[in-house]
Structure formats: C-alpha cells, structure tokens
Amino acid sequence: MKRQIGLFGLCVILFLSGCNYTENNVQEKATKENKDSITLMHVNADKAGVQKYVEDAEKKLNININLTSPPANAYNRQAKISTLLSSGDSSVDIITVNDEMISEFKHKGYLETLDSAVMPKDIIQCYPSDYMEKIVMKDSKVYSVPYALDIMVFWVNEDVTKKAGINQISDLEDFKKLLNTNYGSGVYGYGGSWEATYAYNEILQFINMFGGDFQNWSDPYTREAMQFLHDMLKDRKVAVDVLFDQYEQMEQKFMNGKTGAIFMYSGILNTFLKAGKYGEDKLHVVPLPMFRERAANVGSWQYVLNKGSKHKEAAKKFLSYAASREGSMAYAKAMNHLPARLDIIENEDLGIPDLDIWKDYVEHVKLKARPLSDDPMSEIEKIGVLFQKYVTDEITLEEFCDSAGEIV
C-alpha cells in the first residue's frame, strides 16, 4: 500500500514539474513575442562573430533581431537590395551597404534619415570627416551608421620582397626597385586587380599617391599616375593576367607567393589570419609609401534604415548602439575588424595585429573618400574599360584622359 502511495506521489510531482516546465516555456515564449523585433540583412550574417554580436545586442537592447543574408555576388547584392528598397518592401528593417550602394540609394529616397538621437554631432566627429560629408551625408543629413572601416593599405609578402633587398618600401624609388627586381619565373614584385569592374580602386589609389585628382583629368599628376601604371604593364613589371584578376585572384596569388606586394582594403586581414599566412616574416600590413602624398582610399560597411520599415523605433535602438563606443568596440572585437570610428582605433586596444601600423594610417595618412556618382557601378565599369584600352595601347593617354573626364 505504502509503495502504491509513493508511486502516486512521484507521479504527481512529475506532473506538476512538467506543468511548471511548460508554463515557464510559455512565459518565455510570450516574453520573446512581446519584445520589439527587427530584421537585419547583414553581409556577414553567416559569420559566427556577427551572430554572437547580434545575440549580445538583443540582450542589451531587449529586442529580437532576425538575421538574414543578401546575395554574395556584389552586383547581385546591389540589385537585390535596390529592388527591395524601391518596392517599399518592409520585410527588412536594417541593411548593411557599402559605399557604392549608399551613393546610389541616398539620392533615390529609399532611406530613412538618421536624426541626432542616433547620430549626434559628437559621434559624427569620430568618423573620417571627408568620408562622412561625401558618402554618408547628403544636404547635411545623415543616412547611415558606418560600422566597419576599410582603408586601402599596402601589404607585403616577406618571402618575395626580401629578394629585392629592401628593408622597407618607403618611397617611389623603393617601389620601383620592388618592380624591377628579378624574382624568377612567374613571380612579380607587385600584383594588382585591373579587371574592368575592379580597376577603379587601384586607379584612384595611385592618383592619390601621385598627388593627382580623379575628377581633374588634365591634372599633370593624375596623368603621371596613369602613365606609371601603363608602363608597369608595358615593361612587364606586372603579369599580363592582372587585366583579368579580380580581388579573389589577386589575393590568392599574393598568398601563394606569386607577388610581393599589393594594395588592398584592410578587411582582408581576416582572410590572411585564417589561412595562417599573416605574420612579420609572412604577409603583413606595412606603412604606406610616400610617392608625392601619403593618401589612401577609405570606405566602410554601413547600416541603413529602410524607409519602408514598420519598426523604425526598435531599429533606431540598434543603430544607436552600433554607433556608440560600446557597440563599435564589440563589433570590432567580434570580427577582428577595424571599427569605423577613428577615436576607437587611436585610443583602444582592439587586439588586432599590428595595431600601431593601423594607427599610423589613421593618424598620418590622408583618408580620402572615393568620388562616387549616383550611378556608381556603371561609372566604375566605364572607367575600368577605358583603362584597359589605355594600358594595352588601344588608345593614347590623351584619349583616355579626355574620355575619363567626360565620365566623371
């Protein structure tokens, strides 16, 4: 009899425990459902670092954040996001965009402007001023929160460059020595990405360093930069297939020891780290050489608020956090990526390799926004096609500069 009562009691306890468990689950679900929810389309939504960053932001802000990915291909991504925004689709609240996208979208009325509650003046001043004015803002209004900085920096492969006998590539003469050294069959001192849709960045970088002006094609320094690139190919100081290489091919050749140096955006750091290729005696970032000016392209990935969003207040909570010191540092550490806020790079220990060199770029290099029109992808490709015709001697320098001047 006692045994039967004991079994009955145990069943009651288990039943009540199950009820409590179910009730707790219902309460947790109800709490989650009662929270504000937003959808964030993030270019790195599949990365563990972003997922952890978003999970932490959810707890801190007491909102639900649904992550979704855009297409991987740059052209498909821009087309997808453009269609989403132009159609008034409200399924996505916040979207990560690059310079090309915001340069188009901010002129078309697709984006919600961000007031001082999200981007107050003291925070705006923490970003590169030229970049904010030319890319992020229009008519003194702010259209995005930059979160990940990309500086076009100089990378070297020590296994290759040591053969040139140069301790540090400091100026144009050192760079010429890098180009002129014989490294053996199929190996070059410098590698680029001159495919028609990619060449724009390198064209602009060399113009910056020669002290020219991309929007003035009669400027002698602009022309000098183009002549220099032309002669690099003519004299076979770079491989002919540079004309077909996009970033993926350029990076792979660099990692494989086929080239000694490249100009590439700072975001590539993680690729080198994950491949086990980064290090003082391997591939690493170095200070920018002085040709005529120490100037470099700068860009960023940014959060924008869809004008069609039905959750603007919750979205602004996230955007305010992303712009804050705490949010900026959290993302930088989660992704091992330079934050867009210069004050954080200058003053914080982010755990990023060679932080002293990154600080040198921020403090001593002129960071210049790329001149982008409201139809940037078309302009970029037109310039690239012209450039390829020029460096392969289909057209003269004069013809190239005249035509480029008409495009920009």
Side-chain angles (χ1 to χ4, degrees):
M1 180 68 180
K2 287 181 180 178
R3 185 179 178 187
Q4 289 177 336
I5 293 172
L7 288 171
F8 176 75
L10 179 61
C11 290
V12 170
I13 291 168
L14 290 173
F15 174 75
L16 292 174
S17 297
C19 288
N20 288 336
Y21 177 77
T22 303
E23 184 178 340
N24 289 339
N25 272 3
V26 170
Q27 287 174 345
E28 286 176 15
K29 186 177 179 182
T31 301
K32 190 170 184 179
E33 287 176 350
N34 289 334
K35 285 183 183 179
D36 289 325
S37 293
I38 61 171
T39 296
L40 167 60
M41 181 179 281
H42 201 296
V43 68
N44 288 318
D46 60 332
K47 302 289 192 297
V50 168
Q51 292 164 7
K52 178 66 166 59
Y53 173 75
V54 166
E55 286 174 12
D56 291 344
E58 285 182 311
K59 295 171 186 173
K60 178 165 287 294
L61 303 174
N62 196 35
I63 60 175
N64 296 320
I65 303 173
N66 306 306
L67 269 175
T68 184
S69 295
N73 176 273
Y75 278 84
N76 294 341
R77 180 169 57 237
Q78 180 138 348
K80 164 87 172 179
I81 294 172
S82 180
T83 299
L84 185 152
L85 291 171
S86 63
S87 66
D89 189 332
S90 62
S91 64
V92 177
D93 303 291
I94 298 173
I95 304 168
T96 59
V97 300
N98 58 14
D99 293 2
E100 287 84 352
M101 284 190 271
I102 195 169
S103 295
E104 176 185 344
F105 300 157
K106 70 182 181 182
H107 292 284
K108 294 188 172 179
Y110 297 161
L111 308 177
E112 187 77 7
T113 56
L114 304 179
D115 57 26
S116 59
V118 176
M119 290 288 278
K121 286 184 180 179
D122 62 319
I123 287 186
I124 291 173
Q125 292 169 357
C126 296
Y127 298 95
S129 56
D130 179 67
Y131 180 78
M132 291 298 287
E133 291 170 11
K134 293 179 179 175
I135 303 296
V136 172
M137 302 171 74
K138 181 175 80 76
D139 300 330
S140 300
K141 294 178 180 178
V142 178
Y143 284 87
S144 75
V145 174
Y147 66 88
L149 195 69
D150 264 330
I151 306 170
M152 181 159 269
V153 300
F154 195 47
W155 305 86
V156 298
N157 184 329
E158 290 290 343
D159 285 340
V160 178
T161 57
K162 66 185 178 184
K163 296 176 184 175
I166 309 170
N167 291 328
Q168 184 173 332
I169 302 163
S170 301
D171 54 28
L172 184 56
E173 289 309 307
D174 288 339
F175 190 81
K176 288 178 180 178
K177 187 174 181 181
L178 175 76
L179 294 176
N180 291 329
T181 298
N182 184 351
Y183 300 94
S185 178
V187 181
Y188 296 84
Y190 180 77
S193 175
W194 295 6
E195 190 271 338
T197 57
Y198 280 72
Y200 172 88
N201 287 301
E202 211 160 328
I203 292 168
L204 191 54
Q205 180 60 30
F206 274 82
I207 289 174
N208 287 339
M209 295 176 68
F210 273 86
D213 181 353
F214 181 81
Q215 294 178 306
N216 181 3
W217 288 88
S218 62
D219 185 306
Y221 293 153
T222 301
R223 294 184 172 218
E224 183 183 359
M226 294 303 96
Q227 184 72 57
F228 187 81
L229 291 173
H230 170 276
D231 292 348
M232 283 168 62
L233 183 64
K234 183 190 78 171
D235 299 335
R236 296 299 182 261
K237 304 304 180 185
V238 291
V240 175
D241 54 9
V242 72
L243 295 167
F244 311 102
D245 287 348
Q246 298 183 349
Y247 284 157
E248 184 180 356
Q249 292 78 34
M250 179 186 75
E251 292 157 11
Q252 195 60 54
K253 289 174 183 177
F254 184 55
M255 288 193 287
N256 290 345
K258 296 298 184 183
T259 55
I262 58 172
F263 284 104
M264 182 56 190
Y265 287 102
S266 50
I268 195 63
L269 173 63
N270 274 332
T271 299
F272 298 153
L273 286 169
K274 288 176 182 176
K277 298 284 189 177
Y278 194 88
E280 189 176 345
D281 59 345
K282 301 176 184 177
L283 317 179
H284 62 105
V285 62
V286 295
L288 188 71
M290 166 70 86
F291 288 8
R292 189 171 284 112
E293 280 190 23
R294 291 191 80 207
N297 301 339
V298 65
S300 82
W301 280 93
Q302 310 150 54
Y303 297 114
V304 295
L305 178 52
N306 179 5
K307 200 163 192 176
S309 167
K310 294 180 179 178
H311 310 103
K312 291 188 175 68
E313 292 310 308
K316 286 180 180 180
K317 283 176 69 175
F318 174 79
L319 294 172
S320 295
Y321 172 70
S324 71
R325 176 177 288 270
E326 181 184 8
S328 295
M329 287 182 62
Y331 188 88
K333 290 182 176 181
M335 293 299 288
N336 210 34
H337 198 296
L338 293 176
R341 284 181 50 162
L342 302 185
D343 61 319
I344 295 174
I345 299 173
E346 292 170 337
N347 301 312
E348 301 291 345
D349 182 5
L350 299 170
I352 296 174
D354 289 320
L355 190 58
D356 58 327
I357 297 177
W358 299 115
K359 287 182 178 181
D360 176 68
Y361 272 89
V362 166
E363 294 170 0
H364 301 120
V365 173
K366 187 183 292 185
L367 302 180
K368 302 181 73 171
R370 295 174 300 158
L372 295 168
S373 69
D374 57 3
D375 187 15
M377 302 301 273
S378 173
E379 181 179 291
I380 285 169
E381 186 167 3
K382 286 176 182 176
I383 289 290
V385 169
L386 270 179
F387 175 73
Q388 288 205 342
K389 288 182 177 180
Y390 166 56
V391 295
T392 55
D393 290 324
E394 289 184 46
I395 59 175
T396 64
L397 175 62
E398 192 72 29
E399 290 170 326
F400 169 58
C401 292
D402 286 348
S403 297
E406 291 174 5
I407 293 171
V408 302

